[in-house]
Amino acid sequence: MAETSSPTPLYHRIYAVMRERIVNGYYPADVPVPTEAELAETFSASRITIRRAMEMLTAEGLVTRTRGRGTFVTDRARENALNRAVVSNVSGLLNYLNAVGQSTRLRVISLDRGEAPPRICALMGVAPTTELVRAVRVRDLDGKPYSLSMAYLRPEVGGAFSHEDLTTTNMIDLVQRAGAEVEQVEQALTATLADEYASQHLQIPVGAPLMRVNRLFYDAALVPFYAAEILYCADRYEYRVTLRREAGKDFTLDGAQPG
């Protein structure tokens, strides 16, 4: 793991791997995490590098380090309030977004009007010169950046939003208060890397892995009125979906008849 081609520092990559192991139950709660010397051998890194990664885990409250006893996973590491199941319908998504809002704090970076990137205009079916309301916000979880979101809204929906509104209220609540009815949502999840802008606001190195979530919200007439692009720190984000079979609905394989 000690190759130097990655733009992400080695200590941060080790932190990301260790965090993934911890939140997924790799280490038992009653057994010490491997020592710095053992981890240094595992990751082919110096103990100073390992110590820096472990300090990040300690600061996040995922492990507790006690002289003479070792390092142990904390109970909090197994209770991530944002790792909740989401039923694959609009109500389930809105419930999930509400849970995220209750577990995090918002910081507004900007609120203005102007042209959106071409990809957003294409999604919303508007001309590149169309003026949209643009809002950029950072969500903090446990005092650290968790996500960076860029919202683009039609002026008739987001035109009255204030800086204070965006600081205290989830966007989905704001658009519904503005009279928009969410009839359909399209969502796409992709992996990406942090550029300079994301690096600055998420406090991560340029080139660090991110999860990008794009959501497009449609009104009752199936006209897109709100596009959201959210960047999540890949080592702090997990999205779960529960898929339920509809009552009385069977499926066939290769033309075979059910039953």
Side-chain angles (χ1 to χ4, degrees):
M1 195 173 184
E3 78 276 0
T4 59
S5 59
S6 172
T8 305
L10 179 57
Y11 75 85
H12 196 280
R13 284 182 280 150
I14 293 173
Y15 154 79
V17 171
M18 291 296 294
R19 190 185 192 285
E20 186 72 10
R21 290 179 176 181
I22 289 169
V23 299
N24 285 294
Y26 187 90
Y27 298 111
D30 56 348
V31 177
V33 172
T35 65
E36 289 182 359
E38 292 170 333
L39 291 173
E41 182 176 355
T42 297
F43 291 105
S44 299
S46 69
R47 291 186 63 172
I48 294 176
T49 299
I50 296 297
R51 186 172 300 121
R52 188 167 182 181
M54 297 305 292
E55 287 172 350
M56 292 175 66
L57 294 170
T58 302
E60 198 173 337
L62 297 177
V63 297
T64 301
R65 311 180 76 188
T66 305
R67 185 180 299 276
R69 295 188 65 243
T71 300
F72 291 84
V73 173
T74 65
D75 291 337
R76 178 188 167 282
R78 307 181 189 283
E79 299 176 357
N80 188 337
L82 302 188
N83 290 347
R84 299 183 179 184
V86 180
V87 178
S88 56
N89 55 38
V90 171
S91 295
L93 175 62
L94 299 187
N95 287 336
Y96 169 77
L97 296 178
N98 183 59
V100 171
Q102 293 179 357
S103 304
T104 57
R105 297 186 63 182
L106 283 166
R107 287 186 287 120
V108 178
I109 305 301
S110 64
L111 172 63
D112 59 17
R113 294 193 185 202
E115 298 177 5
R119 66 182 184 281
I120 299 297
C121 293
L123 286 173
M124 298 188 70
V126 300
T129 55
T130 301
E131 183 180 81
L132 297 174
V133 175
R134 306 178 300 190
V136 180
R137 301 187 294 179
V138 171
R139 284 192 179 276
D140 291 329
L141 176 64
D142 299 329
K144 294 184 178 181
Y146 172 70
S147 68
L148 171 65
S149 65
M150 287 72 71
Y152 304 90
L153 305 106
R154 292 181 181 270
E156 60 267 28
V157 175
F161 295 170
S162 68
H163 190 283
E164 182 179 357
D165 291 334
L166 294 174
T167 303
T168 59
T169 310
N170 293 334
M171 185 65 76
I172 196 60
D173 291 331
L174 290 175
V175 299
Q176 291 182 112
R177 290 180 188 177
E181 180 181 347
V182 181
E183 178 66 24
Q184 179 176 302
V185 183
E186 292 181 358
Q187 178 170 271
L189 286 77
T190 56
T192 188
L193 300 176
D195 59 12
E196 291 82 357
Y197 189 76
S199 170
Q200 173 189 352
H201 292 294
L202 291 175
Q203 299 176 16
I204 55 176
V206 172
L210 296 173
M211 180 63 72
R212 180 172 59 204
V213 178
N214 286 97
R215 296 190 181 107
L216 187 61
F217 294 78
Y218 293 80
D219 62 18
L222 294 184
V223 174
F225 66 90
Y226 164 34
E229 183 171 274
I230 311 104
L231 298 175
Y232 294 93
C233 297
D235 58 345
R236 305 190 73 199
Y237 178 76
E238 178 178 304
Y239 185 79
R240 301 182 184 182
V241 176
T242 297
L243 303 177
R244 293 177 178 170
R245 179 191 289 252
E246 294 182 62
K249 298 286 187 178
D250 290 320
F251 61 90
T252 61
L253 296 176
D254 299 324
Q257 295 299 315

